[in-house]
Amino acid sequence: MRERYHEQLHMLNRKMIEMGALCEKVIELACTALLAGDGSKACEVQPFARQIDQMEREIESICLKLLLQQQPVAGDLRQISAALKMITDMERIGDQAEDIAEIITFLNGRTGAECEDIRRMADAAIKMVSESVDAYVRQDVVLAKAVEKQDDIVDDCFVRVKNTLIRMISENMADGEYALDLLMIAKYFERIGDHAVNIAEWTEFSVTGVREGDE
Protein backbone atom coordinates (compact mmCIF):
# COMPACT_ATOMS: atom_id res chain seq x y z
CA MET A 1 0.00 0.00 0.00
CA ARG A 2 2.81 2.40 0.90
CA GLU A 3 4.62 1.65 -2.36
CA ARG A 4 1.45 2.47 -4.29
CA TYR A 5 1.18 5.72 -2.34
CA HIS A 6 4.67 6.83 -3.35
CA GLU A 7 4.02 5.82 -6.97
CA GLN A 8 0.99 8.11 -6.99
CA LEU A 9 3.02 10.98 -5.52
CA HIS A 10 5.65 10.51 -8.23
CA MET A 11 2.92 10.46 -10.85
CA LEU A 12 1.56 13.71 -9.43
CA ASN A 13 4.97 15.34 -9.81
CA ARG A 14 5.33 14.06 -13.39
CA LYS A 15 1.91 15.39 -14.34
CA MET A 16 2.67 18.75 -12.76
CA ILE A 17 5.87 18.98 -14.83
CA GLU A 18 3.95 18.05 -18.00
CA MET A 19 1.25 20.63 -17.31
CA GLY A 20 3.88 23.28 -16.60
CA ALA A 21 5.63 22.46 -19.89
CA LEU A 22 2.34 22.89 -21.74
CA CYS A 23 1.89 26.29 -20.11
CA GLU A 24 5.34 27.32 -21.29
CA LYS A 25 4.45 26.03 -24.77
CA VAL A 26 1.28 28.10 -25.14
CA ILE A 27 2.97 31.28 -23.91
CA GLU A 28 5.86 30.79 -26.35
CA LEU A 29 3.47 29.98 -29.21
CA ALA A 30 1.41 33.09 -28.56
CA CYS A 31 4.50 35.27 -28.40
CA THR A 32 5.97 33.75 -31.57
CA ALA A 33 2.69 34.31 -33.41
CA LEU A 34 2.67 37.95 -32.31
CA LEU A 35 6.26 38.61 -33.39
CA ALA A 36 5.59 36.95 -36.75
CA GLY A 37 2.25 38.69 -37.23
CA ASP A 38 0.90 35.22 -38.00
CA GLY A 39 -2.77 34.63 -37.21
CA SER A 40 -2.58 31.00 -38.36
CA LYS A 41 0.26 30.39 -35.90
CA ALA A 42 -1.89 31.89 -33.16
CA CYS A 43 -4.54 29.26 -33.90
CA GLU A 44 -2.05 26.57 -32.81
CA VAL A 45 -2.46 27.72 -29.22
CA GLN A 46 -6.00 26.38 -28.78
CA PRO A 47 -5.23 22.61 -29.00
CA PHE A 48 -2.51 22.96 -26.35
CA ALA A 49 -4.85 25.00 -24.16
CA ARG A 50 -7.36 22.14 -24.40
CA GLN A 51 -4.60 19.73 -23.30
CA ILE A 52 -3.98 21.94 -20.28
CA ASP A 53 -7.69 21.71 -19.41
CA GLN A 54 -7.50 17.92 -19.67
CA MET A 55 -4.39 17.76 -17.50
CA GLU A 56 -6.11 19.87 -14.85
CA ARG A 57 -8.82 17.20 -14.62
CA GLU A 58 -6.27 14.37 -14.54
CA ILE A 59 -4.20 15.95 -11.76
CA GLU A 60 -7.31 16.81 -9.78
CA SER A 61 -8.31 13.15 -9.96
CA ILE A 62 -4.88 12.01 -8.75
CA CYS A 63 -4.98 14.48 -5.86
CA LEU A 64 -8.46 13.44 -4.77
CA LYS A 65 -7.50 9.75 -4.87
CA LEU A 66 -4.46 10.47 -2.73
CA LEU A 67 -6.54 12.45 -0.24
CA LEU A 68 -9.41 9.96 -0.02
CA GLN A 69 -7.56 6.66 -0.30
CA GLN A 70 -4.21 7.37 1.34
CA GLN A 71 -5.16 10.02 3.93
CA PRO A 72 -1.78 11.82 3.80
CA VAL A 73 -0.60 13.95 6.69
CA ALA A 74 1.80 16.86 7.30
CA GLY A 75 4.10 17.64 4.36
CA ASP A 76 2.44 15.28 1.90
CA LEU A 77 -0.98 16.72 2.68
CA ARG A 78 0.30 20.25 2.07
CA GLN A 79 1.97 19.18 -1.17
CA ILE A 80 -1.22 17.62 -2.52
CA SER A 81 -3.38 20.53 -1.37
CA ALA A 82 -0.96 22.98 -3.01
CA ALA A 83 -1.11 21.04 -6.27
CA LEU A 84 -4.90 21.41 -6.33
CA LYS A 85 -4.51 25.18 -6.01
CA MET A 86 -1.67 25.40 -8.53
CA ILE A 87 -3.46 23.60 -11.35
CA THR A 88 -6.17 26.26 -11.23
CA ASP A 89 -3.52 28.91 -11.88
CA MET A 90 -1.95 26.83 -14.65
CA GLU A 91 -5.34 26.33 -16.32
CA ARG A 92 -5.86 30.09 -16.27
CA ILE A 93 -2.45 30.59 -17.85
CA GLY A 94 -3.67 28.42 -20.71
CA ASP A 95 -6.84 30.50 -20.99
CA GLN A 96 -4.90 33.74 -21.08
CA ALA A 97 -2.47 32.49 -23.72
CA GLU A 98 -5.54 31.57 -25.74
CA ASP A 99 -6.94 35.08 -25.24
CA ILE A 100 -3.65 36.55 -26.50
CA ALA A 101 -3.79 34.29 -29.54
CA GLU A 102 -7.34 35.38 -30.32
CA ILE A 103 -6.34 39.06 -30.27
CA ILE A 104 -3.41 38.33 -32.61
CA THR A 105 -5.81 37.04 -35.27
CA PHE A 106 -7.31 40.56 -35.44
CA LEU A 107 -4.02 42.46 -35.79
CA ASN A 108 -3.89 42.05 -39.58
CA GLY A 109 -0.27 40.99 -39.60
CA ARG A 110 1.05 43.71 -37.28
CA THR A 111 3.62 42.40 -34.84
CA GLY A 112 3.78 44.67 -31.84
CA ALA A 113 7.30 45.63 -32.89
CA GLU A 114 6.71 49.07 -31.40
CA CYS A 115 6.68 47.46 -27.92
CA GLU A 116 9.79 45.35 -27.37
CA ASP A 117 8.82 45.11 -23.71
CA ILE A 118 5.96 42.77 -24.62
CA ARG A 119 8.55 40.20 -25.71
CA ARG A 120 10.45 40.78 -22.47
CA MET A 121 7.22 40.18 -20.53
CA ALA A 122 6.64 36.92 -22.40
CA ASP A 123 10.20 35.71 -21.78
CA ALA A 124 9.94 36.56 -18.08
CA ALA A 125 6.55 34.86 -17.80
CA ILE A 126 7.84 31.65 -19.40
CA LYS A 127 10.81 31.61 -17.01
CA MET A 128 8.57 32.25 -14.00
CA VAL A 129 6.14 29.45 -14.91
CA SER A 130 8.98 26.99 -15.52
CA GLU A 131 10.79 27.82 -12.28
CA SER A 132 7.65 27.92 -10.13
CA VAL A 133 6.70 24.37 -11.17
CA ASP A 134 10.32 23.24 -10.79
CA ALA A 135 10.35 24.73 -7.29
CA TYR A 136 7.22 22.72 -6.41
CA VAL A 137 8.67 19.43 -7.67
CA ARG A 138 11.98 20.06 -5.89
CA GLN A 139 10.22 21.55 -2.85
CA ASP A 140 12.66 24.45 -3.16
CA VAL A 141 11.57 27.50 -1.16
CA VAL A 142 14.58 29.57 -2.28
CA LEU A 143 13.64 29.11 -5.94
CA ALA A 144 9.99 29.85 -5.18
CA LYS A 145 10.95 33.14 -3.53
CA ALA A 146 13.15 34.00 -6.53
CA VAL A 147 10.14 33.56 -8.80
CA GLU A 148 8.09 35.91 -6.64
CA LYS A 149 10.78 38.59 -7.00
CA GLN A 150 10.82 38.20 -10.80
CA ASP A 151 7.29 39.57 -10.93
CA ASP A 152 8.81 43.04 -10.58
CA ILE A 153 10.38 42.58 -14.03
CA VAL A 154 6.99 41.86 -15.60
CA ASP A 155 5.35 44.77 -13.78
CA ASP A 156 8.08 47.21 -14.85
CA CYS A 157 7.75 46.06 -18.46
CA PHE A 158 4.00 46.56 -18.31
CA VAL A 159 4.45 50.17 -17.16
CA ARG A 160 6.82 50.81 -20.06
CA VAL A 161 4.37 49.20 -22.52
CA LYS A 162 1.60 51.50 -21.30
CA ASN A 163 3.81 54.56 -21.70
CA THR A 164 4.84 53.47 -25.21
CA LEU A 165 1.24 52.95 -26.26
CA ILE A 166 0.15 56.30 -24.86
CA ARG A 167 2.81 57.95 -27.02
CA MET A 168 1.71 55.90 -30.02
CA ILE A 169 -1.90 57.06 -29.70
CA SER A 170 -0.90 60.68 -29.16
CA GLU A 171 1.22 60.62 -32.33
CA ASN A 172 -1.31 58.77 -34.49
CA MET A 173 -4.92 58.41 -33.41
CA ALA A 174 -5.50 55.95 -36.25
CA ASP A 175 -3.43 53.44 -34.27
CA GLY A 176 -5.76 53.67 -31.27
CA GLU A 177 -7.45 50.28 -31.74
CA TYR A 178 -4.14 48.57 -32.45
CA ALA A 179 -2.61 50.13 -29.34
CA LEU A 180 -5.52 48.90 -27.21
CA ASP A 181 -5.07 45.39 -28.60
CA LEU A 182 -1.39 45.47 -27.63
CA LEU A 183 -2.31 46.77 -24.19
CA MET A 184 -4.67 43.81 -23.69
CA ILE A 185 -1.94 41.40 -24.79
CA ALA A 186 0.49 42.98 -22.32
CA LYS A 187 -2.14 42.79 -19.58
CA TYR A 188 -2.61 39.07 -20.19
CA PHE A 189 1.16 38.52 -19.94
CA GLU A 190 1.12 40.46 -16.66
CA ARG A 191 -1.64 38.19 -15.36
CA ILE A 192 0.34 35.11 -16.39
CA GLY A 193 3.19 36.44 -14.26
CA ASP A 194 0.74 36.84 -11.36
CA HIS A 195 -0.36 33.23 -11.73
CA ALA A 196 3.27 32.09 -11.69
CA VAL A 197 3.70 34.00 -8.42
CA ASN A 198 0.64 32.21 -7.02
CA ILE A 199 2.20 28.87 -7.97
CA ALA A 200 5.43 29.86 -6.22
CA GLU A 201 3.52 30.94 -3.11
CA TRP A 202 1.68 27.62 -2.96
CA THR A 203 5.02 25.86 -3.34
CA GLU A 204 6.28 27.76 -0.32
CA PHE A 205 3.15 26.73 1.59
CA SER A 206 3.64 23.08 0.66
CA VAL A 207 7.08 23.15 2.31
CA THR A 208 6.62 25.54 5.23
CA GLY A 209 2.89 25.57 5.93
CA VAL A 210 2.91 29.35 5.40
CA ARG A 211 1.86 31.08 2.18
CA GLU A 212 3.67 34.33 1.45
CA GLY A 213 0.57 36.05 0.08
CA ASP A 214 -1.35 35.35 3.32
CA GLU A 215 1.18 36.86 5.69
Side-chain angles (χ1 to χ4, degrees):
M1 178 68 78
R2 203 65 189 166
E3 184 177 342
R4 173 62 177 162
Y5 173 58
H6 287 297
E7 285 176 2
Q8 288 178 313
L9 281 177
H10 287 314
M11 182 185 297
L12 173 60
N13 282 344
R14 288 197 304 272
K15 292 292 185 181
M16 293 292 287
I17 292 170
E18 290 174 22
M19 191 173 180
L22 283 171
C23 288
E24 294 171 47
K25 178 74 173 179
V26 292
I27 302 167
E28 182 60 44
L29 266 177
C31 187
T32 300
L34 174 63
L35 295 176
D38 189 344
S40 61
K41 186 85 175 171
C43 293
E44 295 177 19
V45 170
Q46 186 178 43
F48 289 104
R50 298 287 77 79
Q51 288 183 47
I52 290 172
D53 291 342
Q54 177 62 33
M55 291 218 67
E56 180 189 26
R57 292 189 288 271
E58 289 178 13
I59 292 172
E60 184 179 63
S61 178
I62 292 169
C63 289
L64 292 177
K65 285 178 181 177
L66 280 164
L67 291 171
L68 295 174
Q69 297 174 5
Q70 305 294 348
Q71 298 180 342
V73 296
D76 288 347
L77 177 59
R78 290 197 303 271
Q79 186 176 356
I80 296 164
S81 300
L84 282 169
K85 296 290 188 178
M86 292 162 64
I87 58 175
T88 298
D89 281 294
M90 286 195 276
E91 189 272 336
R92 288 175 181 165
I93 287 171
D95 288 345
Q96 283 154 5
E98 198 171 3
D99 289 333
I100 292 169
E102 184 178 358
I103 294 172
I104 291 168
T105 63
F106 295 108
L107 295 183
N108 298 318
R110 299 187 73 171
T111 64
E114 301 87 347
C115 290
E116 293 182 5
D117 281 299
I118 291 180
R119 174 69 207 195
R120 295 188 183 99
M121 291 180 77
D123 288 342
I126 291 169
K127 185 171 185 285
M128 289 172 70
V129 171
S130 175
E131 291 184 352
S132 61
V133 175
D134 191 30
Y136 169 80
V137 172
R138 290 161 49 185
Q139 294 287 275
D140 187 336
V141 172
V142 173
L143 182 56
K145 286 185 176 295
V147 171
E148 294 164 26
K149 291 178 181 177
Q150 288 174 49
D151 194 42
D152 291 340
I153 297 172
V154 176
D155 290 343
D156 289 345
C157 284
F158 184 61
V159 170
R160 290 197 296 271
V161 167
K162 285 193 293 184
N163 291 336
T164 298
L165 295 176
I166 289 169
R167 285 197 303 272
M168 182 189 299
I169 294 172
S170 66
E171 292 168 3
N172 184 4
M173 289 296 293
D175 272 339
E177 186 174 349
Y178 172 59
L180 289 175
D181 284 338
L182 292 183
L183 182 62
M184 285 302 300
I185 288 172
K187 186 62 180 176
Y188 283 129
F189 278 128
E190 185 201 30
R191 288 178 181 171
I192 288 171
D194 290 341
H195 288 303
V197 169
N198 287 344
I199 294 168
E201 288 175 352
W202 283 115
T203 292
E204 191 173 345
F205 166 80
S206 73
V207 178
T208 66
V210 176
R211 183 168 176 259
E212 180 75 19
D214 294 336
E215 290 182 345

